[in-house]
């Protein structure tokens, strides 16, 4: 009997997602996505990008439309930031990923980015997921902060059911009773989602913990349990970042993590 949680597309057959020639998933070397939470200005994105590129990151991240809890804080630079991100990435030969929050900006983001990021707050936005089915670019689908494994799987199915099977999953922590960490990074979701869906699964220890000192141990733990990559927030001056400074690491700390990962 068909239930509401039956998957049709992602049933465990391993998929490899190609991002500008970088292969993600099914035993390929872990992809490392790094960059600031948000693009703030030209100098910040350039210096951060140069540092993460030098340390060995494969893909540059940077939010330009930011889903912030308070409407009174920095909301991202929008198109202006997108152009900065793209120019800097092009100068280094790196693909980019940035978050799309609404259908309205799909065309704009599509034009510039290599991977479209769907944030935790948008995982349940079914009209947005349907629209993503109509594009031919890879989608990084973050787990909703209160999403069960089944709900997350079905969100991925929404995109596929509307025509796009290029989905990468990202575990970014779920809400729990504890407030010491920003979220509880559910690493058991990594092998579960890989086995159940066959999709590549990457881990975001930055939003997953909210704490700078936990990025290195949780990055190693994520790779040890089979993650196909990591997404890490890096800032040239974390204490003065316009968003997520507490969880952002310095280029030096990032480069230390990269050396350790290469040893693994
Ligand atoms: C982000 O990656 O900048 C972000 C907003 O993440 P999340 O959707 O996981 O909170
Ligand atoms: Mn962030």
């Amino acid at each position: 009997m068909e239930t509401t949680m039956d998957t049709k597309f992602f049933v465990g057959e391993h998929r490899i997602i190609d991002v500008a020639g970088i292969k993600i998933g099914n035993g390929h070397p872990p992809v490392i996505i790094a960059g600031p939470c948000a693009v703030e200005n030209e100098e910040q994105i350039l210096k951060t990008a140069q540092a993460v590129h030098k340390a060995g990151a494969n893909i540059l991240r940077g939010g330009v439309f930011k889903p912030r809890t308070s409407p009174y804080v920095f909301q991202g630079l929008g198109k202006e930031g997108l152009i900065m991100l793209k120019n800097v990435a092009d100068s280094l030969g790196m693909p980019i990923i940035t978050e799309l929050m609404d259908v309205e900006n799909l065309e704009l983001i599509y034009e510039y980015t290599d991977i479209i990021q769907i944030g935790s707050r948008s995982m349940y936005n079914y009209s947005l997921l349907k629209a993503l089915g109509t594009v031919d670019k890879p989608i990084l689908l973050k787990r909703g902060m209160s999403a069960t494994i089944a709900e997350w799987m079905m969100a991925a199915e929404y995109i596929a059911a509307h025509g796009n099977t290029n989905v990468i999953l990202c575990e970014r922590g779920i809400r729990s009773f504890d407030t010491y960490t920003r979220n509880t990074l559910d690493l058991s979701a990594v092998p579960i989602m890989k086995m159940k869906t066959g999709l590549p699964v990457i881990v975001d220890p930055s939003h997953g913990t909210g704490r700078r000192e936990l990025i290195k141990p949780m990055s190693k733990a994520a790779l040890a349990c089979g993650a196909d990559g990591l997404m890490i927030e890096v800032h040239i001056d974390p204490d003065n970042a316009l968003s997520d400074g507490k969880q952002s690491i310095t280029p030096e700390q990032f480069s230390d993590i990269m050396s350790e990962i290469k040893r693994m």
Side-chain angles (χ1 to χ4, degrees):
M1 193 185 72
E2 194 171 21
T3 75
T4 53
M5 292 298 182
D6 279 339
T7 55
K8 287 196 169 68
F9 288 89
F10 303 136
V11 290
E13 176 204 333
H14 289 293
R15 284 169 198 266
I16 298 164
I17 310 293
D18 190 305
V19 178
I22 300 168
K23 303 241 185 312
I24 308 175
N26 201 19
H28 281 92
V31 65
I32 310 297
I33 304 171
C37 177
V39 177
E40 298 173 5
N41 56 62
E42 254 159 35
E43 190 196 357
Q44 172 250 12
I45 188 62
L46 178 65
K47 286 194 172 158
T48 310
Q50 285 171 334
V52 299
H53 179 254
K54 189 163 168 227
N58 311 103
I59 299 173
L60 182 65
R61 67 151 284 150
V64 298
F65 294 107
K66 297 301 302 173
R68 305 301 303 280
T69 302
S70 165
Y72 308 118
V73 297
F74 180 61
Q75 305 282 306
L77 297 179
K79 184 173 179 181
E80 191 196 346
L82 196 52
I83 295 170
M84 283 180 203
L85 180 68
K86 174 75 174 149
N87 287 343
V88 162
D90 280 353
S91 73
L92 297 165
M94 291 175 92
I96 59 177
I97 175 168
T98 197
E99 178 169 353
L100 171 72
M101 284 171 54
D102 39 56
V103 179
E104 199 184 313
N105 285 306
L106 176 55
E107 255 180 69
L108 173 68
I109 296 274
Y110 177 88
E111 191 186 329
Y112 288 89
T113 198
D114 297 284
I115 306 176
I116 301 172
Q117 176 176 329
I118 297 303
S120 188
R121 293 157 191 79
S122 301
M123 191 212 82
Y124 289 110
N125 184 342
Y126 298 114
S127 51
L128 183 58
L129 299 179
K130 285 178 188 176
L132 294 167
T134 66
V135 303
D136 57 4
K137 282 198 180 171
I139 310 298
L140 181 93
L141 179 65
K142 285 196 159 199
R143 181 179 186 175
M145 60 186 81
S146 66
T148 63
I149 292 285
E151 287 167 345
W152 190 16
M153 277 169 49
M154 295 317 287
E157 283 286 319
Y158 256 93
I159 302 170
H162 287 82
N164 185 359
T165 54
N166 289 314
V167 180
I168 302 161
L169 300 169
C170 178
E171 165 62 41
R172 51 77 73 204
I174 47 176
R175 280 266 168 94
S176 79
F177 54 85
D178 203 343
T179 53
Y180 187 87
T181 50
R182 181 175 179 180
N183 290 290
T184 294
L185 188 61
D186 179 15
L187 289 182
S188 61
V190 175
I192 294 171
M193 290 304 267
K194 281 175 62 110
M195 282 186 274
K196 287 269 181 198
T197 66
L199 290 171
V201 181
I202 72 157
V203 169
D204 170 356
S206 305
H207 296 86
T209 65
R211 299 180 74 108
R212 209 175 288 162
E213 72 276 18
L214 297 178
I215 307 306
K216 184 174 173 180
M218 297 319 284
S219 294
K220 289 160 66 183
L223 296 180
C225 72
D228 297 294
L230 299 169
M231 181 153 80
I232 300 178
E233 286 185 343
V234 181
H235 195 286
I236 43 166
D237 183 9
D239 291 331
N240 289 303
L242 295 182
S243 64
D244 287 351
K246 260 171 51 186
Q247 68 195 36
S248 299
I249 57 173
T250 62
E252 293 70 33
Q253 289 166 327
F254 178 70
S255 141
D256 171 51
I257 293 175
M258 287 301 287
S259 316
E260 191 120 350
I261 288 173
K262 280 173 198 153
R263 271 201 297 280
M264 284 170 77

